[in-house]
Amino acid sequence: MSEFVVYGHPGSPFLRSVRLALEEKGLPYRIQRIGTGEGRSEAQRQLHPFGRIPVVDHGSYRLYETQAILRYIDAHVPEPALQPASPEAIGRMSQIMGINDWYLFPQVGRIIVFQRIVGPTLLGIKPDEAAIAAAVPDARRCLGELNRLLGDQPFLAGDRLSLADLMLAPQLYYLALTPEGAAILEGTALMAWLGRMNARASMRATEPPEELRKAA
Ligand SMILES: N[C@@H](CCC(=O)N[C@@H](CS)C(=O)NCC(=O)O)C(=O)O
């Protein structure tokens, strides 16, 4: 099996989701670091026309968009399966991954996590308290809905680990470090799920750089 090359910054929650899938499958990979300053450089546009991370090379095959990468990894190495078999669980997994991409990251993570953790640590900016306060209702809505969908199941899409857990855990890891996220998550089933995810070897092997863990 040829090595996967994962382009990006080790602090990125999307990049961590890709690493989690590779770790859970036991696949060889290396990170090719792209710093934040280079985020919009011409070099990165060669890799990703929309200037985002992560991007993955596997041999001569190149792929971007985290959902696509996760599904590629799972299709490539079927065991352990990271996608459920039942139509209902497939639907739930896909729905939760969509909630991340359409609501949780753009409305919540990209504001609260950026303002509290990423911006101050990597870019030296002061948190914009008004922007954070404006995002709190969205955070309540997103986390409340994810908590409802989780219910009393062990994993987000049912009884087994799936791509939905790998997509959401890195995002909620950061949110739980912020005072706003921690207050909303306190005592919820979602917080207990995050605790179980954080205990997995794949999560421990992919912790973000220390300065980002300590920032909020
Ligand atoms: N839809 C993309 C989103 C990836 C994304 O937004 N990554 C962030 C880092 S966590 C990024 O590239 N940010 C750079 C920017 O916003 O300019 C995916 O699923 O891969």
Side-chain angles (χ1 to χ4, degrees), residues 95-135:
Q95 178 189 35
I96 289 169
M97 294 168 85
I99 289 173
N100 181 67
D101 284 358
W102 280 87
Y103 314 114
L104 184 71
F105 180 69
Q107 298 175 0
V108 181
R110 209 165 187 221
I111 297 167
I112 298 179
V113 172
F114 179 81
Q115 292 295 335
R116 286 270 178 249
I117 300 178
V118 179
T121 308
L122 299 183
L123 307 173
I125 66 156
K126 265 185 68 179
D128 179 342
E129 296 296 339
I132 293 170

Side-chain angles (χ1 to χ4, degrees), residues 1-5 21-22 25-30 56-61 72-79:
M1 171 76 56
S2 61
E3 183 186 57
F4 285 75
V5 181
L22 294 166
K25 298 275 188 186
L27 294 173
Y29 68 93
R30 71 181 163 85
V56 160
D57 278 348
H58 188 214
S60 60
Y61 183 65
Y72 171 77
I73 293 168
D74 196 46
H76 211 77
V77 177
E79 293 296 327

Side-chain angles (χ1 to χ4, degrees), residues 92-200:
R92 187 69 71 218
M93 177 192 79
S94 303
Q95 178 189 35
I96 289 169
M97 294 168 85
I99 289 173
N100 181 67
D101 284 358
W102 280 87
Y103 314 114
L104 184 71
F105 180 69
Q107 298 175 0
V108 181
R110 209 165 187 221
I111 297 167
I112 298 179
V113 172
F114 179 81
Q115 292 295 335
R116 286 270 178 249
I117 300 178
V118 179
T121 308
L122 299 183
L123 307 173
I125 66 156
K126 265 185 68 179
D128 179 342
E129 296 296 339
I132 293 170
V136 166
D138 293 323
R140 282 210 191 89
R141 185 178 314 109
C142 284
L143 297 177
E145 178 60 359
L146 290 170
N147 194 53
R148 186 186 75 79
L149 291 171
L150 171 66
D152 58 5
Q153 306 176 112
F155 296 102
L156 289 171
D159 289 340
R160 293 179 56 182
L161 182 78
S162 80
L163 300 181
D165 302 290
L166 305 188
M167 188 111 192
L168 271 291
Q171 307 280 345
L172 294 193
Y173 172 93
Y174 273 132
L175 262 177
L177 294 180
T178 69
E180 293 76 17
I184 298 168
L185 286 165
E186 195 183 350
T188 63
L190 197 57
M191 190 63 213
W193 162 86
L194 182 60
R196 295 192 297 277
M197 289 301 295
N198 282 339
R200 294 184 78 86

Side-chain angles (χ1 to χ4, degrees), residues 12-14 40 51-54 65-67 101 105 110:
S12 158
F14 286 95
R40 286 170 194 84
R52 300 288 175 110
I53 56 168
E65 284 306 303
T66 302
Q67 288 207 29
D101 284 358
F105 180 69
R110 209 165 187 221

